Amino acid sequence: MTTRTTRRRGAVRWAAGALAAAVALALPAVLDDSALAVYVLLGLAAMVTVGVSLLMGYAGQVSLGQGAFYGVGAYTAALLALNGLPPLLGLVAAPVAAALAALVLGLPLLRLRGHHLAFATLATQLILLSLAGQLTFTGGDIGLQAIPQFSAGSFEASGAAAYAYLTWAGLALVMLVTHNVITSRPGRALRALATSETAAASSGIPVGRYKLVVFALSAAFAGLAGGIYCFYTGYVAPGSFPVLISIQYIVMAVVGGLGTIWGAVAGAAAITLLVQGLDQLANLPGMPSYAPSVLSYAVYALVLIVVVLFLPDGLVPAIGRRLSRERPPATR
Amino acid sequence: MSAFLTYLLNGLAVGCAIALIASGLVVIHRVTGVVNFAQGTFAVVAGLCTASLLGLGLPHGVSELAAVLAAAAAGLLTGLAAVGRAGTTPLSSLIVTLGAGVLAYAVEIVLWGDQPRSAPGLAGSVTLAGARIQTQHLLVIAVTALAFVALALFFGRTYLGKALTACASNPYAARVVGIDVRRMGLLAFALGGLLGGIAGVLVTPLRPISFDTDVTLIVNGFAAAVFGALTRPVVTLAGALLLGVAETMAAGYGYGSHQLEIALGLMLVVMIVQAGRRSALSQEQT
């Protein structure tokens, strides 16, 4: 690749990023409340998906339990806020608690690889959900209700627009952190260990520590999203974090393109909008009562299967390749 | 004491049902190297089919057989998606089977709704040494024993079974001697569906099956299968029996609400211990 194309591509990327940021900032002003709700949920899903993409695409680790860390963040923020602490403290504590949980769980779990790790993370989420449904301080199956609105100092988030700005500020932070991680030396080390842990270890990369840190980081992203989610909806319950939500993040990351930041956002946007559109279709008069759940199950499943089989690199890399008409650099 | 014996016998029956699910996982993994997350789905399909067919007035036996065949067909379809396309890596196949399981949710809700369904099984119970055990439980144990013997004979004594094993141990060499690895993979999936279907047919009379029961079934089946490192059927059977007894004892002595945690916790411990014994090098593909 010549320096000129590199520079041109850099400029194109910078312009695309600036455009995306401008659109993201402008949207809350023009959307109505129901569209804003979708916008907030889209941003939250993108936040978690960036973490999944980092974990799966860069470090090569599969987590089918990302929804658990989303839940840990939401419960942490909700419990702190309900006990009278300032919501800002809850929002800060949410990613920290999720990361700590990931460190504790990851220490034994990350010794597992491939399908073992996938299943272990799924099992972890099932255990946490079951516990949350039985313990008293989490409110059992009913969960926690009447969570106060988010506020920081004199600012109080009262409308959906405020949460939209909060969410997309969080997403920008998450994307910035991820960008800095993957362009750094540890980022290259992560890519190396995804290819071969043995080779990475023998060239001096602390494989175990790096895997643990990236697991905790992706959990922190999910925890932050969970924290915002609990203030936005005002309640959390075990039913808010089903196993399907973890699968949904995998679908979004795979659809957008694993190991790309913008791919995660694009995947989250594509799936959220698709499911939302079908949901409206399913709620039209004359549709059977089971239509919403059936359509969303079918969509997740079909999109996942088709993309894994026919578009294994995901949407964004495929489009990027079409635009630049070059062979993709071997990232994985 | 008779309470203990009752729990033990019931636990063995539960374990046998788990073992049938796990054996399907083992068969598929042995031949294709894929962990089939849709294994629980096959049991659900068979269970729901039995309930419907019996409801339509078909006799016992015919209904069950048709249900098991439906599960085998579901297995074949899953296999077509997961390993039918050349060059699909085992991890991609795993994600595809996950997708197949979720897709089955949609189909099952359309066909059967989201409420649990049950089917009548063998009625009555037998008293053994002071312990009462349902006849259906004895049937589960008997069928499982038959299935495992049949599997052992099939893999050990028949050419087809040996061809299947050859695919797993060295796909390249298997292809060289003229074995169609793709067809063998599909056959393994159909066989997995068949075994899952038998489990579903046997379990439905014991406890109602709904579309999302597959999570519990696959979790238990996988827990048992990892005991045998997903390749050794006999160790898998032992693991499944241990798990079934542990769960039934937990429920019997008042920890019923923690059944799932016990099964999952046991599985995690086994996996972590096993992972510590194997080196990273032996698990990486060359």
Side-chain angles (χ1 to χ4, degrees), chain B residues 32-283:
Chain B
T32 63
V34 175
V35 179
N36 176 29
F37 269 55
Q39 188 66 31
T41 308
F42 304 156
V44 170
V45 166
L48 293 173
C49 273
T50 321
S52 284
L53 292 174
L54 285 175
L56 286 175
L58 262 73
H60 273 292
V62 178
S63 309
E64 276 86 352
L65 190 65
V68 169
L69 290 178
L76 189 60
L77 286 177
T78 309
L80 270 175
V83 295
R85 202 175 137 85
T88 317
T89 62
L91 195 62
S92 302
S93 299
L94 183 153
I95 296 181
V96 171
T97 61
L98 197 69
V102 176
L103 186 60
Y105 279 8
V107 177
E108 284 156 12
I109 294 177
V110 170
L111 290 178
W112 289 288
D114 55 1
Q115 292 307 305
R117 298 236 178 165
S118 192
L122 286 179
S125 57
V126 187
T127 310
L128 278 175
R132 225 166 52 85
I133 178 166
Q134 291 178 34
T135 324
Q136 180 74 19
H137 276 156
L138 290 178
L139 180 70
V140 174
I141 294 174
V143 172
T144 307
L146 270 177
F148 270 81
V149 170
L151 273 183
L153 290 176
F154 176 66
F155 276 106
R157 296 289 162 87
T158 65
Y159 279 113
L160 188 58
K162 288 187 175 165
L164 281 168
T165 312
C167 293
S169 53
N170 191 335
Y172 177 72
R175 219 173 291 134
V176 167
V177 297
I179 298 170
D180 187 340
V181 174
R182 179 173 168 271
R183 193 188 297 166
M184 291 295 150
L186 294 181
L187 186 65
F189 265 94
L191 198 56
L194 193 78
L195 289 164
I198 296 175
V201 164
L202 291 171
V203 164
T204 316
L206 295 173
R207 59 154 213 225
I209 291 261
S210 67
F211 75 99
D212 55 358
T213 314
D214 73 312
V215 176
T216 330
L217 294 173
I218 183 75
V219 158
N220 280 310
F222 190 81
V226 293
F227 273 101
L230 282 158
T231 45
R232 295 177 7 232
V234 179
V235 189
T236 303
L237 179 60
L241 294 179
L242 183 68
L243 199 61
V245 172
E247 282 187 17
T248 316
M249 293 279 173
Y253 290 110
Y255 299 97
S257 54
H258 298 290
Q259 257 184 15
L260 187 72
E261 286 99 311
I262 289 172
L264 293 173
L266 207 58
M267 178 191 82
L268 289 179
V269 170
V270 170
M271 288 203 315
I272 290 162
V273 169
Q274 280 181 347
R277 285 205 310 241
R278 276 173 305 180
S279 74
L281 199 57
S282 68
Q283 292 175 50

Side-chain angles (χ1 to χ4, degrees), chain A residues 188-287:
Chain A
R188 289 199 297 280
L190 284 176
R191 250 188 282 181
L193 75 84
T195 320
S196 166
E197 285 186 20
T198 317
S202 56
S203 48
I205 296 168
V207 169
R209 206 192 317 153
Y210 276 15
K211 279 205 291 190
L212 198 58
V213 168
V214 78
F215 189 58
L217 194 61
S218 76
F221 295 168
L224 180 64
I228 297 176
Y229 173 83
C230 89
F231 290 118
Y232 176 60
T233 56
Y235 72 92
V236 285
S240 317
F241 316 103
V243 172
L244 191 69
I245 207 172
S246 299
I247 295 173
Q248 169 198 312
Y249 298 131
I250 304 277
V251 177
M252 289 171 174
V254 169
V255 166
L258 286 174
T260 58
I261 301 175
W262 287 105
V265 180
I271 298 293
T272 309
L273 295 178
L274 187 61
V275 168
Q276 190 62 32
L278 285 167
D279 206 36
Q280 283 181 350
L281 179 73
N283 283 321
L284 288 178
M287 292 295 270

